Amino acid sequence: MAQNQPIEALIDLMARLPGLGPRSARRAVLQMVRKRETLLSPLAEAMQEVARNVRECGNCGNIATGEICDICASNKRATGEICVVETVGDLWAMERANVFGGRYHVLGGTLSALDGIGPDELRIPRLVERIPAEEVTEVILALNATIDGMTTAHYIADRLDGMVRLTSLAQGVPVGGELDYLDEGTITAALAARKAF
Amino acid sequence: MAQNQPIEALIDLMARLPGLGPRSARRAVLQMVRKRETLLSPLAEAMQEVARNVRECGNCGNIATGEICDICASNKRATGEICVVETVGDLWAMERANVFGGRYHVLGGTLSALDGIGPDELRIPRLVERIPAEEVTEVILALNATIDGMTTAHYIADRLDGMVRLTSLAQGVPVGGELDYLDEGTITAALAARKAF
Ligand SMILES: [Zn+2]
Ligand SMILES: [Zn+2]
């Protein structure tokens, strides 16, 4: 296919995004070229803006524009509760349910002996530090209901044992299910019925 | 959802691409943030490159980096045959089949009384000019097998009547089907069995 070089390069990159294959990447790029002023240029600028200004929150691991994310910086969020999630996507899923008023801690994954991911790779030491520093009284373990998620929850429960009240999302999260795929109602119910871990 | 402003803006733009909704846009943006150096920044640069350098071929309407596209500029393409397609996506589909050695003419859509799209909106005058200018002996009408596509094919056949040999892709293109969704084999067979229009 003797196609245009910059176009080919863009299609190859787009095809690496989750959910897009070569065909949908081609369609997306054609749409961009058709809407250069209203879509392509704004996309390029929005990406550059994110690349320049977005980083990890130094406190919780959420996405941030400054040193600290909007949630950690807000004085409207309860300081005594931390909800522990695996990824930023899971944090967003919790926020969409709009039912948790505390702060978060984003682990960045789960423990995995197979992949060589230990506690230090997961921002767990920082979680332990936050308990006294933010006078935390409850840690809600909102990990995915997968084997790795449960293993990680148990490890964290051991580390924080005696320091703080530990709860986990109620059953209601389907077994094997991932937070990011759940509707707001299920997340709301699971949080309301949370139980001691 | 009190999310990060630049992130929200990028998700909104990504969600406007064909095949992506709000959920897949969020997943794509999270992936970009995770892979800033290898995905986000290269994507931003590739888009800027396309926005700066890619335009319409002044001859055929294909995507081009210079005044004229690679296909029109190539001396390896037969000059006597023009394949008329609706969109650049259809041109790419023909090129993937790798069976046509001539040049293209991209109409940019189909005639549509409803949408007020007439011959002048469709680069049809330029097609008429190309017949003598490039000593064209055959025009292959490779429009989609839709009602608008057929209407447009008949209009072009009337305009070029007596100037040139007119053919169309053989049946083999499913009725109501669009070129961009066809496999290479079907396109190859349809082109090989093309018939006088
Ligand atoms: Zn934070
Ligand atoms: Zn051209």
Side-chain angles (χ1 to χ4, degrees):
Chain A
M1 233 190 320
Q3 265 175 35
N4 187 289
Q5 195 46 52
I7 293 279
E8 287 284 6
L10 181 53
I11 291 173
D12 286 350
L13 283 166
M14 288 294 292
R16 290 173 49 201
L17 293 174
L20 286 165
R23 164 158 293 166
S24 44
R26 281 199 304 267
R27 305 205 140 237
V29 169
L30 274 176
Q31 179 80 336
M32 289 180 212
V33 171
R34 247 180 257 125
K35 307 199 167 179
R36 182 190 313 231
E37 298 307 323
T38 57
L39 189 57
L40 176 57
S41 295
L43 263 175
E45 278 158 36
M47 285 180 187
Q48 226 122 38
E49 171 79 7
V50 167
R52 268 194 302 263
N53 296 323
V54 171
R55 59 179 105 175
E56 264 177 11
C57 172
N59 194 42
C60 77
N62 186 18
I63 283 173
T65 23
E67 284 291 306
I68 294 290
C69 75
D70 291 349
I71 292 175
C72 285
S74 168
N75 55 18
K76 291 187 183 137
R77 310 288 301 215
T79 49
E81 288 178 23
I82 288 180
C83 178
V84 177
V85 292
E86 292 178 19
T87 65
V88 173
D90 293 337
L91 184 159
W92 290 356
M94 290 292 302
E95 285 294 282
R96 285 198 296 279
N98 199 24
V99 71
F100 175 66
R103 295 194 174 133
Y104 292 93
H105 197 77
V106 180
L107 294 176
T110 52
L111 294 173
S112 167
L114 216 64
D115 300 329
I117 299 176
D120 293 351
E121 278 75 48
L122 285 188
R123 216 175 275 119
I124 289 177
R126 174 81 200 135
L127 173 62
V128 177
E129 289 170 9
R130 288 182 67 188
I131 309 299
E134 301 179 28
E135 299 181 8
V136 175
T137 55
E138 179 175 357
V139 168
I140 302 166
L141 298 169
L143 304 190
N144 291 323
T146 58
I147 291 177
D148 280 346
M150 300 313 275
T151 305
T152 308
H154 278 101
Y155 175 86
I156 293 173
D158 280 345
R159 285 286 295 264
L160 302 185
D161 190 36
M163 296 175 70
V164 71
R165 180 173 177 232
L166 279 163
T167 58
S168 64
L169 293 188
Q171 283 300 333
V173 179
V175 174
E178 299 191 355
L179 286 186
D180 202 1
Y181 285 98
L182 294 182
D183 60 282
E184 287 76 345
T186 306
I187 290 181
T188 302
L191 186 77
R194 67 186 185 268
K195 58 185 178 11
F197 190 79
Chain B
M1 236 192 315
Q3 265 174 35
N4 187 288
Q5 195 46 52
I7 293 279
E8 287 283 7
L10 180 53
I11 291 172
D12 286 351
L13 284 165
M14 288 295 293
R16 290 171 50 200
L17 293 174
L20 285 166
R23 164 158 294 168
S24 44
R26 281 199 304 266
R27 304 205 140 238
V29 169
L30 273 175
Q31 180 79 336
M32 288 180 213
V33 170
R34 246 181 257 125
K35 306 198 167 180
R36 182 192 311 231
E37 299 306 324
T38 57
L39 189 57
L40 177 57
S41 296
L43 263 174
E45 277 158 37
M47 285 181 185
Q48 226 122 39
E49 172 79 9
V50 167
R52 267 194 303 264
N53 295 325
V54 171
R55 59 181 104 175
E56 264 176 13
C57 171
N59 194 43
C60 77
N62 185 17
I63 284 174
T65 24
E67 283 292 305
I68 295 290
C69 76
D70 291 349
I71 293 174
C72 285
S74 168
N75 56 16
K76 291 188 184 139
R77 311 289 300 215
T79 50
E81 290 178 21
I82 288 181
C83 178
V84 177
V85 292
E86 293 178 19
T87 65
V88 172
D90 292 338
L91 184 157
W92 290 356
M94 289 294 300
E95 286 293 283
R96 284 198 297 278
N98 198 24
V99 72
F100 175 68
R103 296 197 172 130
Y104 292 93
H105 196 77
V106 181
L107 295 176
T110 52
L111 294 173
S112 168
L114 216 64
D115 300 329
I117 298 175
D120 293 350
E121 278 75 49
L122 285 188
R123 216 176 273 119
I124 288 176
R126 175 80 200 135
L127 173 62
V128 177
E129 289 169 9
R130 290 181 66 187
I131 309 299
E134 301 179 27
E135 300 180 8
V136 173
T137 55
E138 179 176 358
V139 168
I140 301 165
L141 298 169
L143 304 188
N144 291 325
T146 57
I147 290 175
D148 281 346
M150 301 312 277
T151 305
T152 307
H154 278 101
Y155 176 87
I156 293 172
D158 280 346
R159 285 284 297 265
L160 302 185
D161 190 36
M163 297 175 71
V164 72
R165 178 171 178 236
L166 278 162
T167 58
S168 63
L169 293 189
Q171 283 301 330
V173 178
V175 174
E178 299 191 357
L179 285 187
D180 200 2
Y181 285 100
L182 294 184
D183 61 283
E184 286 77 345
T186 306
I187 291 182
T188 302
L191 185 78
R194 66 186 185 270
K195 55 183 181 12
F197 190 80

